[in-house]
Amino acid sequence: ASYNIALDHQRVQRMQASAKALHGISKQYNVSSATLAVAWVLKSTYRTTPIISSRKSGQLSPVIDALDFDMSEDLLAEINEV
């Protein structure tokens, strides 16, 4: 198998664009990107489970906030489009 740096660069650009879009969405809803991500995992229909860890108790607040974040179906669809 050969390594194609051009494809890898394109992949990185897509991931960066997605991260930027998700950060913008999180700002619209006045939550952190981490809160939005965990809330998406909890709401999504994919068979996923968030695995949470932290070194400091303050790092858990975005996760706790995700439990109370009411993600609408429209927001879920918007995130899925990203």
Side-chain angles (χ1 to χ4, degrees), residues 37-77:
V38 173
W40 176 83
V41 169
L42 293 171
K43 180 80 172 184
S44 80
T45 57
Y46 302 107
R47 295 192 175 258
T48 57
T49 302
I51 299 174
I52 308 302
S53 67
S54 70
R55 290 182 178 225
K56 299 176 184 176
S57 61
Q59 294 171 323
L60 291 175
S61 58
V63 175
I64 294 166
D65 293 344
L67 297 173
D68 294 326
F69 184 74
D70 186 26
M71 183 175 291
S72 68
E73 292 298 322
D74 289 340
L75 177 55
L76 181 65

